[in-house]
Amino acid sequence: MPEIEVPQFQEPQFIEKPKLPIKPKLIEPKKPNIYIFLAMIGLVIFVSAFWVKAIGPGGGFMLVIAVIVASYIFYREKNGYGVKKAKFDMIMLNYRAELDAYQQHLEQWQKSQTSQHSSMRDYQNRVENYRTQSTERSQKIELARQKFQQIKPLKPIQGSNAPKGRSEEIFHQTLSHYLPGEIMVDYRVIKYVEYPYTPDFIYYLKDWNLYVDIEIDEPYTCSGKGKKTTHCTDDQTEINRDIFFEQNDWVVIRFAEEQVLRFPINCCKFIAQTIDLLVGEPIPEKLKKVDDIIAVPRWNTKKAKRMARKKYRHYY
């Protein structure tokens, strides 16, 4: 029963809704009217005619001055119109550029809104599927748990005087820290009253009524006068031991001593992976990022003797 991945919502790129640019409240300047200018000249000439009669020759001079003044006023109005018109055109040009940019930004925002709604619908569908699959998974696990409870594994008995290897105490601390279950030591499993089996460690999952025999295998013993080979693949005693535990509904995991001393946390992850495969219990978070264990080839009697001669256990 593999774990079901929790759906994650990925927020689409946020685009702020654009603001419509304000159209300039300007009135286009009016062009100077040539007809008004001619009317002004005519009015000046008409008035100046009276000045000529009243003042004499000086009236002609006044007429010339009036025409110059009227021309200057017209010229100034004409040029003032050009300046105002240029400023107005520049403002309107900037406004049209802002309006074009607004239209583009608005289209992008509308697309982002559509994308966001689509992402939300997709996320809601994935969440619904996740809930359905999680419910089904939980039901299957509960059914499997009930079936495990019907199994009657041979129960261990407390009390064992079996000698301990150099790696067992260190590995015991690591097991207790990383595995969320009961680690049992100094227990024996009775095959014959005179010759009980004594697992190095027992990992017990009460909810599943599951016992796991965890063994640390050395290729040879270092105590006594000579080096005696042990835990060999061609040793019938070791083969019979595994068969006994399997027939009594136990799980057996064997590690090489080298693995336990060099990679104790990786060994814990392997145990957690095995439990996950068996009953669907998720691997603890603190073990998920740990590398998988590196395999060590098992040895037969001939290879164990060669390892003893080379004092292999002194190099790890």
XYZ file of all heavy atoms in Angstrom, residues 23-117:
772
model
N -8.080 60.216 -18.934
C -7.950 61.020 -20.154
C -7.757 62.484 -19.785
O -8.465 63.024 -18.936
C -9.200 60.864 -21.021
C -9.068 61.535 -22.387
C -10.277 61.234 -23.255
C -10.100 61.851 -24.639
N -11.232 61.550 -25.537
N -6.788 63.162 -20.406
C -6.532 64.568 -20.072
C -7.756 65.436 -20.349
O -8.399 65.314 -21.396
C -5.370 64.952 -20.998
C -4.754 63.661 -21.408
C -5.835 62.649 -21.396
N -8.084 66.261 -19.374
C -9.235 67.160 -19.535
C -8.755 68.482 -20.126
O -8.671 69.508 -19.452
C -9.924 67.383 -18.190
C -10.566 66.123 -17.642
C -11.266 66.391 -16.327
C -11.931 65.141 -15.788
N -12.638 65.385 -14.492
N -8.400 68.442 -21.397
C -7.899 69.631 -22.080
C -8.796 69.951 -23.277
O -9.323 69.054 -23.945
C -6.467 69.409 -22.563
C -5.401 69.248 -21.462
C -4.062 68.980 -22.105
C -5.329 70.508 -20.609
N -8.948 71.245 -23.517
C -9.698 71.706 -24.689
C -8.679 72.157 -25.720
O -7.788 72.961 -25.420
C -10.644 72.869 -24.339
C -11.652 72.411 -23.272
C -11.363 73.356 -25.583
C -12.566 73.518 -22.777
N -8.777 71.599 -26.913
C -7.810 71.943 -27.942
C -7.865 73.448 -28.219
O -8.950 74.004 -28.426
C -8.102 71.161 -29.220
C -7.028 71.341 -30.275
C -7.271 70.430 -31.474
O -8.240 69.640 -31.424
O -6.502 70.529 -32.442
N -6.726 74.136 -28.201
C -6.721 75.590 -28.422
C -7.263 75.944 -29.810
O -7.067 75.210 -30.776
C -5.246 75.951 -28.289
C -4.504 74.680 -28.538
C -5.368 73.592 -28.018
N -7.955 77.074 -29.854
C -8.555 77.526 -31.114
C -7.535 78.297 -31.942
O -6.722 79.040 -31.407
C -9.767 78.423 -30.847
C -10.902 77.690 -30.152
C -12.084 78.620 -29.920
C -13.242 77.895 -29.241
N -14.407 78.774 -28.998
N -7.621 78.088 -33.241
C -6.738 78.819 -34.141
C -7.175 80.287 -34.220
O -8.367 80.582 -34.151
C -6.792 78.223 -35.549
C -6.269 76.805 -35.637
C -6.330 76.320 -37.079
C -5.781 74.912 -37.182
N -5.839 74.413 -38.579
N -6.232 81.269 -34.380
C -6.603 82.679 -34.572
C -7.350 82.846 -35.905
O -6.941 82.301 -36.930
C -5.255 83.408 -34.590
C -4.240 82.345 -34.907
C -4.768 81.070 -34.349
N -8.464 83.592 -35.868
C -9.347 83.737 -37.044
C -8.911 84.939 -37.879
O -8.845 86.076 -37.390
C -10.801 83.926 -36.579
C -11.780 83.682 -37.712
O -11.553 84.131 -38.850
N -12.879 83.018 -37.395
N -8.572 84.650 -39.148
C -8.111 85.704 -40.050
C -9.198 86.756 -40.291
O -8.924 87.947 -40.468
C -7.645 85.100 -41.400
C -7.022 86.177 -42.289
C -8.797 84.389 -42.100
C -5.778 86.781 -41.698
N -10.452 86.302 -40.246
C -11.549 87.256 -40.481
C -11.667 88.238 -39.323
O -11.951 89.423 -39.522
C -12.865 86.494 -40.681
C -12.830 85.582 -41.886
C -12.774 84.207 -41.725
C -12.843 86.117 -43.179
C -12.730 83.369 -42.826
C -12.815 85.291 -44.277
C -12.753 83.916 -44.107
O -12.702 83.094 -45.195
N -11.438 87.741 -38.123
C -11.463 88.659 -36.977
C -10.336 89.666 -37.102
O -10.487 90.863 -36.800
C -11.359 87.866 -35.666
C -12.594 86.956 -35.510
C -11.220 88.799 -34.472
C -12.544 86.076 -34.272
N -9.154 89.173 -37.565
C -8.011 90.066 -37.728
C -8.337 91.168 -38.757
O -8.069 92.348 -38.542
C -6.797 89.252 -38.167
C -5.639 90.097 -38.596
C -4.908 90.826 -37.657
C -5.277 90.191 -39.926
C -3.842 91.609 -38.056
C -4.206 90.980 -40.314
C -3.483 91.681 -39.383
N -8.961 90.791 -39.885
C -9.295 91.775 -40.922
C -10.334 92.774 -40.399
O -10.273 93.969 -40.703
C -9.818 91.069 -42.174
C -8.796 90.212 -42.926
C -9.470 89.483 -44.094
C -7.646 91.088 -43.438
N -11.262 92.258 -39.578
C -12.274 93.156 -38.998
C -11.603 94.160 -38.075
O -11.974 95.348 -38.035
C -13.329 92.325 -38.257
N -10.598 93.686 -37.323
C -9.868 94.593 -36.423
C -9.151 95.668 -37.241
O -9.152 96.856 -36.885
C -8.854 93.797 -35.583
C -9.488 92.872 -34.532
S -8.228 91.874 -33.689
C -7.204 93.137 -33.000
N -8.502 95.237 -38.361
C -7.794 96.206 -39.198
C -8.784 97.246 -39.765
O -8.529 98.463 -39.786
C -7.068 95.493 -40.344
C -5.936 94.603 -39.778
C -6.492 96.496 -41.347
C -4.850 95.358 -39.083
N -9.924 96.701 -40.200
C -10.935 97.616 -40.756
C -11.417 98.617 -39.717
O -11.603 99.813 -40.012
N -11.635 98.089 -38.475
C -12.086 98.967 -37.404
C -11.030 100.021 -37.102
O -11.350 101.207 -36.888
C -12.407 98.142 -36.158
C -12.881 98.931 -34.945
C -14.206 99.667 -35.263
C -13.068 98.018 -33.736
N -9.759 99.614 -37.110
C -8.672 100.562 -36.824
C -8.624 101.640 -37.917
O -8.453 102.833 -37.642
C -7.335 99.825 -36.716
C -6.167 100.812 -36.695
C -7.319 98.945 -35.474
N -8.762 101.196 -39.190
C -8.724 102.172 -40.302
C -9.891 103.150 -40.200
O -9.749 104.365 -40.396
C -8.744 101.439 -41.656
C -7.451 100.641 -41.838
C -8.931 102.413 -42.822
C -7.456 99.746 -43.057
N -11.053 102.621 -39.849
C -12.239 103.469 -39.764
C -12.063 104.518 -38.665
O -12.344 105.704 -38.855
C -13.472 102.592 -39.477
C -14.728 103.376 -39.298
C -15.403 103.954 -40.404
C -15.230 103.598 -38.025
C -16.543 104.697 -40.204
C -16.387 104.335 -37.848
C -17.056 104.883 -38.930
N -11.556 104.036 -37.529
C -11.362 104.984 -36.411
C -10.249 105.966 -36.754
O -10.339 107.170 -36.468
C -11.052 104.221 -35.116
C -10.667 105.178 -34.000
C -12.254 103.355 -34.707
N -9.204 105.455 -37.422
C -8.060 106.335 -37.716
C -8.421 107.414 -38.730
O -7.813 108.471 -38.768
C -6.890 105.492 -38.246
O -6.488 104.561 -37.259
N -9.435 107.131 -39.584
C -9.853 108.134 -40.576
C -10.337 109.381 -39.880
O -10.089 110.507 -40.331
C -10.936 107.544 -41.470
N -11.046 109.205 -38.783
C -11.483 110.370 -38.008
C -10.296 111.081 -37.385
O -10.271 112.289 -37.259
C -12.475 109.943 -36.925
C -13.809 109.518 -37.502
C -14.086 108.177 -37.702
C -14.775 110.455 -37.852
C -15.292 107.795 -38.221
C -16.003 110.050 -38.365
C -16.265 108.710 -38.569
N -9.288 110.256 -36.991
C -8.097 110.876 -36.383
C -7.339 111.727 -37.405
O -6.806 112.766 -37.098
C -7.151 109.791 -35.838
C -7.711 109.127 -34.594
C -8.797 109.497 -33.897
C -7.146 108.018 -33.944
N -9.008 108.694 -32.838
C -7.963 107.722 -32.837
C -6.030 107.191 -34.154
C -7.706 106.690 -31.991
C -5.784 106.168 -33.283
C -6.623 105.905 -32.222
N -7.335 111.240 -38.666
C -6.618 111.987 -39.706
C -7.261 113.368 -39.910
O -6.597 114.383 -40.047
C -6.598 111.199 -41.033
C -6.056 112.071 -42.175
C -5.771 109.924 -40.873
N -8.614 113.402 -39.942
C -9.314 114.665 -40.113
C -9.135 115.548 -38.885
O -8.995 116.766 -39.014
C -10.800 114.439 -40.345
C -11.103 113.776 -41.681
C -12.593 113.569 -41.865
C -12.915 112.902 -43.183
N -14.373 112.694 -43.370
N -9.181 114.940 -37.738
C -9.130 115.735 -36.505
C -7.719 116.181 -36.180
O -7.504 117.295 -35.729
C -9.719 114.913 -35.341
N -6.776 115.298 -36.440
C -5.406 115.581 -35.974
C -4.532 116.079 -37.122
O -3.547 116.760 -36.939
C -4.795 114.351 -35.318
C -5.688 113.870 -34.176
C -3.401 114.607 -34.804
C -5.218 112.600 -33.564
N -4.928 115.711 -38.313
C -4.127 116.121 -39.458
C -3.152 115.020 -39.860
O -3.446 113.828 -39.715
N -2.012 115.430 -40.396
C -1.014 114.447 -40.878
C -0.610 113.442 -39.810
O -0.244 112.319 -40.104
C 0.159 115.319 -41.298
C -0.441 116.648 -41.603
C -1.563 116.828 -40.647
N -0.652 113.811 -38.564
C -0.280 112.873 -37.486
C -1.190 111.684 -37.437
O -0.841 110.629 -36.902
N -2.393 111.820 -37.997
C -3.310 110.677 -37.984
C -2.791 109.533 -38.813
O -3.032 108.356 -38.514
N -2.091 109.800 -39.915
C -1.504 108.722 -40.730
C -0.496 107.911 -39.938
O -0.417 106.686 -40.040
N 0.284 108.613 -39.145
C 1.265 107.921 -38.309
C 0.562 107.005 -37.328
O 0.975 105.873 -37.106
C 2.121 108.965 -37.595
C 3.097 108.360 -36.623
C 4.246 107.711 -37.085
C 2.849 108.415 -35.259
C 5.109 107.153 -36.182
C 3.723 107.851 -34.366
C 4.872 107.219 -34.814
N -0.533 107.483 -36.750
C -1.296 106.674 -35.796
C -1.891 105.464 -36.498
O -1.976 104.364 -35.917
C -2.416 107.520 -35.199
C -1.913 108.642 -34.281
S -1.077 107.989 -32.835
C -2.450 107.185 -32.030
N -2.295 105.631 -37.780
C -2.841 104.500 -38.529
C -1.802 103.409 -38.695
O -2.080 102.220 -38.508
C -3.335 105.003 -39.896
C -3.908 103.917 -40.819
C -5.123 103.249 -40.178
C -4.279 104.535 -42.176
N -0.594 103.840 -39.053
C 0.501 102.856 -39.216
C 0.757 102.122 -37.913
O 0.921 100.903 -37.873
C 1.766 103.559 -39.725
C 2.941 102.601 -39.729
C 1.528 104.116 -41.127
N 0.785 102.875 -36.801
C 1.023 102.253 -35.486
C -0.081 101.254 -35.174
O 0.179 100.145 -34.676
C 1.090 103.341 -34.399
C 2.323 104.243 -34.615
C 1.133 102.715 -33.025
C 3.638 103.501 -34.514
N -1.340 101.563 -35.476
C -2.463 100.673 -35.173
C -2.344 99.378 -35.961
O -2.594 98.277 -35.439
C -3.779 101.372 -35.488
N -1.961 99.508 -37.258
C -1.798 98.290 -38.079
C -0.683 97.414 -37.521
O -0.797 96.181 -37.461
C -1.530 98.673 -39.548
C -1.163 97.441 -40.372
C -2.740 99.356 -40.135
N 0.428 98.024 -37.107
C 1.560 97.246 -36.527
C 1.113 96.507 -35.271
O 1.423 95.341 -35.062
C 2.740 98.185 -36.250
C 3.320 98.696 -37.577
C 3.802 97.461 -35.447
C 4.406 99.747 -37.404
N 0.375 97.213 -34.403
C -0.091 96.593 -33.152
C -1.021 95.415 -33.442
O -0.915 94.339 -32.858
C -0.782 97.645 -32.261
C -1.472 96.975 -31.082
C 0.243 98.662 -31.767
N -1.965 95.603 -34.373
C -2.903 94.533 -34.709
C -2.166 93.331 -35.297
O -2.478 92.169 -34.998
C -3.937 95.044 -35.671
N -1.132 93.599 -36.149
C -0.349 92.509 -36.736
C 0.405 91.738 -35.661
O 0.508 90.504 -35.680
C 0.624 93.053 -37.778
O -0.089 93.702 -38.823
N 0.957 92.472 -34.699
C 1.706 91.820 -33.617
C 0.787 90.920 -32.794
O 1.152 89.791 -32.439
C 2.348 92.893 -32.731
C 2.950 92.312 -31.467
C 4.147 91.591 -31.508
C 2.304 92.480 -30.242
C 4.672 91.060 -30.358
C 2.835 91.937 -29.083
C 4.020 91.216 -29.144
O 4.537 90.673 -28.003
N -0.401 91.458 -32.496
C -1.352 90.645 -31.711
C -1.708 89.364 -32.462
O -1.742 88.268 -31.887
C -2.613 91.476 -31.407
C -2.265 92.634 -30.462
C -3.694 90.591 -30.795
C -3.416 93.598 -30.233
N -1.958 89.464 -33.765
C -2.302 88.287 -34.557
C -1.126 87.298 -34.580
O -1.300 86.085 -34.439
C -2.664 88.724 -35.977
C -2.997 87.570 -36.882
C -4.248 86.943 -36.817
C -2.055 87.093 -37.782
C -4.539 85.892 -37.649
C -2.352 86.023 -38.602
C -3.602 85.414 -38.551
N 0.093 87.812 -34.763
C 1.276 86.946 -34.816
C 1.469 86.198 -33.495
O 1.754 85.005 -33.462
C 2.511 87.805 -35.145
C 3.818 87.049 -35.097
C 4.207 86.226 -36.164
C 4.643 87.146 -33.982
C 5.401 85.522 -36.119
C 5.830 86.440 -33.932
C 6.212 85.626 -34.994
O 7.382 84.928 -34.933
N 1.285 86.985 -32.393
C 1.462 86.347 -31.077
C 0.416 85.271 -30.838
O 0.711 84.196 -30.319
C 1.382 87.418 -29.980
C 1.784 86.882 -28.602
C 1.670 87.949 -27.554
N 0.276 88.349 -27.389
C -0.148 89.208 -26.461
N 0.729 89.791 -25.663
N -1.423 89.506 -26.372
N -0.811 85.519 -31.224
C -1.867 84.522 -31.047
C -1.594 83.281 -31.896
O -1.820 82.158 -31.457
C -3.221 85.133 -31.416
C -3.760 86.108 -30.390
C -4.046 85.412 -29.070
O -4.586 84.286 -29.094
O -3.715 85.981 -28.016
N -1.097 83.534 -33.108
C -0.818 82.408 -33.983
C 0.280 81.522 -33.417
O 0.179 80.288 -33.390
C -0.433 82.935 -35.367
C -0.222 81.816 -36.380
C 0.089 82.387 -37.765
C 0.293 81.239 -38.761
N 0.624 81.743 -40.093
N 1.387 82.155 -32.939
C 2.487 81.380 -32.355
C 2.081 80.746 -31.030
O 2.488 79.637 -30.695
C 3.717 82.260 -32.175
C 4.443 82.480 -33.492
O 5.240 81.661 -33.915
N 4.133 83.575 -34.151
N 1.280 81.463 -30.220
C 0.791 80.894 -28.963
C -0.050 79.663 -29.212
O 0.018 78.669 -28.484
N -0.810 79.695 -30.273
C -1.616 78.523 -30.635
C -0.701 77.334 -30.957
O -0.948 76.207 -30.536
C -2.488 78.844 -31.843
C -3.029 77.617 -32.531
C -4.135 76.949 -32.009
C -2.403 77.127 -33.686
C -4.617 75.811 -32.629
C -2.885 75.990 -34.306
C -3.993 75.328 -33.781
O -4.474 74.205 -34.384
N 0.394 77.583 -31.656
C 1.318 76.497 -32.005
C 1.906 75.842 -30.777
O 2.026 74.625 -30.689
N 2.309 76.668 -29.785
C 2.890 76.128 -28.546
C 1.859 75.300 -27.794
O 2.123 74.176 -27.344
C 3.438 77.269 -27.674
C 3.885 76.725 -26.325
C 4.590 77.965 -28.391
N 0.668 75.863 -27.643
C -0.389 75.148 -26.922
C -0.761 73.850 -27.629
O -0.978 72.824 -27.004
C -1.617 76.041 -26.784
C -1.409 77.237 -25.872
C -2.662 78.114 -25.834
C -2.438 79.343 -24.962
N -3.643 80.227 -24.952
N -0.816 73.913 -28.960
C -1.184 72.725 -29.725
C -0.115 71.651 -29.587
O -0.421 70.462 -29.458
C -1.342 73.109 -31.197
C -1.859 71.976 -32.083
C -3.292 71.638 -31.718
C -3.907 70.681 -32.760
N -3.230 69.398 -32.851
N 1.160 72.028 -29.575
C 2.246 71.060 -29.437
C 2.187 70.373 -28.069
O 2.350 69.153 -27.962
C 3.593 71.756 -29.628
N 1.951 71.164 -27.018
C 1.843 70.589 -25.677
C 0.649 69.636 -25.596
O 0.738 68.548 -25.023
C 1.710 71.699 -24.643
C 2.983 72.498 -24.430
C 2.779 73.543 -23.346
C 4.062 74.324 -23.093
N 3.884 75.359 -22.045
N -0.456 70.065 -26.165
C -1.665 69.239 -26.131
C -1.435 67.915 -26.889
O -1.815 66.837 -26.433
C -2.835 70.007 -26.750
C -4.095 69.190 -26.840
C -4.895 68.991 -25.719
C -4.480 68.615 -28.047
C -6.051 68.235 -25.810
C -5.638 67.868 -28.141
C -6.428 67.673 -27.015
N -0.801 68.017 -28.060
C -0.539 66.800 -28.839
C 0.373 65.845 -28.071
O 0.193 64.619 -28.127
C 0.102 67.172 -30.179
C -0.901 67.866 -31.108
O -2.109 67.755 -30.830
O -0.451 68.494 -32.073
N 1.380 66.363 -27.356
C 2.291 65.522 -26.582
C 1.549 64.810 -25.450
O 1.751 63.610 -25.198
C 3.443 66.366 -26.029
C 4.472 65.563 -25.246
S 5.261 64.287 -26.276
C 6.195 65.341 -27.397
N 0.686 65.548 -24.785
C -0.099 64.955 -23.699
C -1.005 63.843 -24.237
O -1.120 62.759 -23.650
C -0.923 66.039 -22.980
C 0.012 66.996 -22.218
C -1.913 65.412 -22.003
C -0.696 68.193 -21.616
N -1.657 64.105 -25.362
C -2.536 63.105 -25.950
C -1.751 61.887 -26.435
O -2.220 60.739 -26.352
C -3.323 63.719 -27.113
C -4.385 64.720 -26.679
S -5.607 63.999 -25.559
C -6.332 62.731 -26.593
N -0.521 62.116 -26.940
C 0.322 61.004 -27.382
C 0.688 60.097 -26.206
O 0.622 58.863 -26.300
C 1.583 61.558 -28.061
C 2.508 60.521 -28.707
C 1.786 59.819 -29.859
C 3.791 61.182 -29.210
N 1.060 60.705 -25.075
C 1.369 59.925 -23.868
C 0.133 59.167 -23.384
O 0.227 58.014 -22.943
C 1.889 60.847 -22.764
C 3.240 61.437 -23.089
O 3.991 60.865 -23.890
N 3.571 62.568 -22.485
N -1.012 59.818 -23.480
C -2.256 59.174 -23.038
C -2.559 57.939 -23.892
O -2.941 56.884 -23.369
C -3.406 60.181 -23.101
C -4.767 59.536 -22.953
C -5.200 59.055 -21.720
C -5.610 59.411 -24.064
C -6.444 58.455 -21.594
C -6.849 58.822 -23.947
C -7.267 58.336 -22.702
O -8.493 57.748 -22.581
N -2.391 58.075 -25.213
C -2.666 56.930 -26.093
C -1.692 55.780 -25.818
O -2.078 54.603 -25.872
C -2.576 57.365 -27.555
C -3.677 58.342 -27.969
C -3.677 58.564 -29.467
N -4.634 59.599 -29.850
C -4.325 60.872 -30.057
N -3.061 61.287 -29.905
N -5.251 61.754 -30.401
N -0.405 56.115 -25.521
C 0.569 55.065 -25.182
C 0.165 54.358 -23.888
O 0.253 53.121 -23.777
C 1.970 55.670 -25.045
N -0.269 55.140 -22.895
C -0.736 54.544 -21.640
C -1.973 53.689 -21.862
O -2.137 52.636 -21.234
C -1.041 55.659 -20.632
C 0.190 56.399 -20.138
C -0.181 57.536 -19.198
O -1.400 57.752 -18.978
O 0.737 58.213 -18.692
N -2.833 54.125 -22.779
C -4.050 53.369 -23.070
C -3.707 52.027 -23.731
O -4.301 50.992 -23.404
C -4.965 54.190 -23.977
C -6.414 53.687 -24.127
C -7.123 53.660 -22.774
C -7.184 54.559 -25.108
N -2.740 52.045 -24.671
C -2.308 50.791 -25.308
C -1.704 49.837 -24.279
O -1.986 48.629 -24.285
C -1.288 51.091 -26.409
C -1.926 51.791 -27.603
O -3.165 51.715 -27.740
O -1.184 52.422 -28.381
N -0.855 50.386 -23.394
C -0.243 49.557 -22.348
C -1.315 48.991 -21.419
O -1.231 47.835 -20.969
C 0.774 50.372 -21.557
N -2.309 49.796 -21.136
C -3.417 49.332 -20.287
C -4.140 48.153 -20.923
O -4.456 47.172 -20.241
C -4.386 50.490 -20.042
C -5.730 50.067 -19.501
C -5.889 49.739 -18.144
C -6.846 49.974 -20.339
C -7.122 49.333 -17.655
C -8.082 49.571 -19.854
C -8.216 49.252 -18.507
O -9.426 48.842 -18.020
N -4.407 48.235 -22.229
C -5.109 47.162 -22.926
C -4.299 45.861 -22.870
O -4.839 44.769 -22.631
C -5.384 47.556 -24.380
C -6.377 48.694 -24.546
C -7.787 48.311 -24.092
O -8.113 47.138 -23.982
N -8.610 49.315 -23.839
N -2.986 45.957 -23.086
C -2.130 44.771 -23.014
C -2.117 44.186 -21.605
O -2.223 42.970 -21.416
C -0.707 45.128 -23.462
C -0.604 45.540 -24.928
C 0.800 45.939 -25.310
O 1.726 45.902 -24.493
N 0.968 46.354 -26.566
N -1.966 45.036 -20.617
C -1.942 44.595 -19.221
C -3.278 43.968 -18.831
O -3.337 42.967 -18.099
C -1.617 45.785 -18.319
C -1.177 45.395 -16.948
N -0.697 46.299 -16.030
C -1.159 44.182 -16.324
C -0.409 45.663 -14.915
N -0.678 44.384 -15.067
N -4.357 44.550 -19.343
C -5.691 44.023 -19.039
C -5.866 42.617 -19.607
O -6.424 41.729 -18.947
C -6.759 44.963 -19.614
C -8.220 44.591 -19.310
C -8.478 44.644 -17.802
C -9.179 45.526 -20.036
N -5.359 42.404 -20.831
C -5.444 41.068 -21.427
C -4.645 40.054 -20.610
O -5.110 38.926 -20.382
C -4.928 41.116 -22.865
C -5.847 41.871 -23.822
C -5.258 41.950 -25.220
O -4.172 41.360 -25.426
O -5.870 42.593 -26.093
N -3.447 40.438 -20.160
C -2.640 39.548 -19.322
C -3.349 39.233 -18.009
O -3.347 38.093 -17.537
C -1.279 40.187 -19.052
C -0.404 40.333 -20.276
C 0.891 41.051 -19.972
O 1.114 41.540 -18.867
N 1.757 41.139 -20.964
N -3.949 40.228 -17.423
C -4.662 40.020 -16.152
C -5.846 39.083 -16.343
O -6.092 38.196 -15.515
C -5.133 41.372 -15.617
C -5.937 41.256 -14.348
C -5.459 41.072 -13.090
C -7.369 41.282 -14.247
N -6.488 40.991 -12.189
C -7.681 41.125 -12.869
C -8.398 41.454 -15.159
C -8.993 41.118 -12.404
C -9.699 41.437 -14.698
C -9.999 41.271 -13.333
N -6.597 39.270 -17.446
C -7.742 38.398 -17.710
C -7.293 36.948 -17.916
O -7.941 36.011 -17.434
C -8.507 38.902 -18.941
C -9.239 40.221 -18.696
C -9.811 40.826 -19.965
O -9.380 40.496 -21.073
N -10.768 41.737 -19.813
N -6.162 36.759 -18.613
C -5.635 35.407 -18.794
C -5.209 34.806 -17.459
O -5.423 33.617 -17.202
C -4.446 35.437 -19.754
C -4.829 35.720 -21.195
C -3.598 35.738 -22.090
C -3.975 36.032 -23.537
N -2.764 36.080 -24.411
N -4.588 35.625 -16.594
C -4.161 35.123 -15.278
C -5.360 34.720 -14.428
O -5.302 33.736 -13.682
C -3.331 36.185 -14.554
O -4.144 37.271 -14.122
N -6.458 35.470 -14.554
C -7.665 35.116 -13.807
C -8.215 33.773 -14.280
O -8.594 32.915 -13.474
C -8.733 36.212 -13.981
C -8.386 37.529 -13.316
C -8.295 37.408 -11.803
O -7.206 37.387 -11.236
N -9.427 37.295 -11.151
N -8.227 33.587 -15.588
C -8.700 32.314 -16.142
C -7.806 31.165 -15.694
O -8.281 30.094 -15.301
C -8.724 32.377 -17.679
O -9.553 33.468 -18.097
C -9.247 31.086 -18.271
N -6.473 31.403 -15.735
C -5.525 30.373 -15.307
C -5.690 30.048 -13.828
O -5.615 28.887 -13.422
C -4.093 30.848 -15.591
O -3.153 29.938 -15.086
N -5.911 31.072 -13.015
C -6.073 30.856 -11.578
C -7.328 30.036 -11.285
O -7.303 29.128 -10.463
C -6.143 32.206 -10.859
C -6.121 32.081 -9.338
C -5.915 33.422 -8.676
O -5.932 34.449 -9.346
N -5.718 33.433 -7.389
N -8.420 30.353 -11.972
C -9.648 29.591 -11.767
C -9.469 28.146 -12.209
O -9.937 27.212 -11.546
C -10.794 30.237 -12.551
C -11.191 31.581 -12.018
N -11.806 32.551 -12.794
C -11.034 32.139 -10.782
C -12.029 33.628 -12.058
N -11.558 33.408 -10.834
